[in-house]
Amino acid sequence: MVERTNDEDVAHQLAELLEALALDSTVRARLARFGGLLAAANARTNLTAARDAGAIAEHVRDSLALAPFVRAPYVDVGSGGGFPGIVLALATGAATTLVESTGKKAKFLVDVARALGLELRVLPQRAEDAGREPGVRATFASATARAVGSLPTVMELTAPLLAVGGVALLQRALVEPAERAAAEDAAPILGLRPLEDIGLEGDLRIVRFIKETETPQRFPRRAGVPSKRPLCLTV
């Protein structure tokens, strides 16, 4: 009997864990392969804290919760090990751009896209810089970002990337009142308007903002400032 390698083992376990989800079998198989590729790469370099099939499956399920709301063209900010950007590209088929400033993570995303036959674009730069580039700024119909800062920070990083009418889909756990108030105050400054949250399992929710007017040219501010000095939020 031929023994499976660790990445093949993770892919097999992940495929079993995803069987309960209402997914096309081809999509499920490609998600499982992505999990195997992630496990193999993670063994060589630290890409994500998700290191086994169970943890990867949880991240995949969380990412898939965004799929019904993604519209093309779609951008993910701070894509890291591929959550949610790679998962949503596989699940939706939307034209996808991934913004990731860490070189080893950006390279992994390029390698995964090539291995899975995904025609997506990886921008190996900070979102503050991507948000000022012609052909990137004010281009996308939907944007996501995970674990890259407070709500006002993430809003400032995604709003410049959205075309008017585009929607920021920000997956969060509980949002503290001060953070919520700051986000609501920051929204019109960035050309955004809050939409109703979408509740998910437990405390998880998708906080949504639609872009109603062009984001002023002074946003995003220079690299690091949106995180250090979030709009309208005292930290």
Side-chain angles (χ1 to χ4, degrees):
M1 183 177 68
V2 178
E3 292 186 1
R4 287 193 293 260
T5 61
N6 181 61
D7 57 312
E8 291 173 331
D9 194 47
V10 169
H12 178 74
Q13 293 176 43
L14 185 57
E16 291 183 336
L17 290 169
L18 296 178
E19 279 186 2
L21 301 181
L23 293 171
D24 177 86
S25 59
T26 300
V27 171
R28 187 164 56 243
R30 296 177 85 194
L31 287 170
R33 189 176 178 207
F34 160 61
L37 293 169
L38 178 60
N42 222 21
R44 299 189 297 271
T45 182
N46 184 32
L47 297 173
T48 174
R51 297 188 175 277
D52 57 41
I56 293 172
E58 184 175 347
H59 282 294
V60 169
R61 285 192 291 265
D62 285 348
S63 299
L64 288 172
L66 293 158
F69 313 103
V70 167
R71 292 183 292 150
Y74 155 65
V75 63
D76 180 50
V77 172
S79 299
F83 303 116
I86 292 289
V87 174
L88 292 174
L90 289 169
T92 68
T96 297
T97 296
L98 308 179
V99 181
E100 174 51 57
S101 62
T102 302
K104 64 181 181 180
K105 295 179 180 180
K107 182 181 183 303
F108 169 72
L109 296 170
V110 170
D111 291 343
V112 165
R114 185 179 299 116
L116 297 177
L118 281 170
E119 294 185 5
L120 56 75
R121 174 173 56 166
V122 178
L123 301 180
Q125 59 190 143
R126 294 185 65 106
E128 295 96 328
D129 298 324
R132 294 190 172 280
E133 284 196 8
V136 179
R137 185 182 178 92
T139 298
F140 300 95
S142 57
T144 58
R146 288 180 65 186
V148 293
S150 67
L151 268 180
T153 295
V154 179
M155 291 162 62
E156 184 173 347
L157 297 180
T158 54
L161 299 169
L162 290 168
V164 171
V167 177
L169 305 165
L170 309 179
Q171 203 171 45
R172 317 289 291 190
L174 283 175
V175 180
E176 295 296 331
E179 185 179 4
R180 175 76 70 174
E184 292 178 354
D185 289 343
I189 297 172
L190 296 167
L192 302 174
R193 175 173 59 84
L195 297 174
E196 185 177 357
D197 289 1
I198 297 169
L200 304 173
E201 291 185 8
D203 294 332
L204 200 62
R205 65 193 61 247
I206 303 171
V207 181
R208 300 183 299 163
F209 295 88
I210 188 168
K211 185 164 178 176
E212 291 196 317
T213 60
E214 294 291 348
T215 301
Q217 287 297 317
R218 68 181 184 275
F219 298 112
R221 291 169 290 171
R222 60 184 174 82
V225 175
S227 295
K228 292 177 183 176
R229 298 202 302 270
L231 287 173
C232 305
L233 180 63
T234 302
V235 293

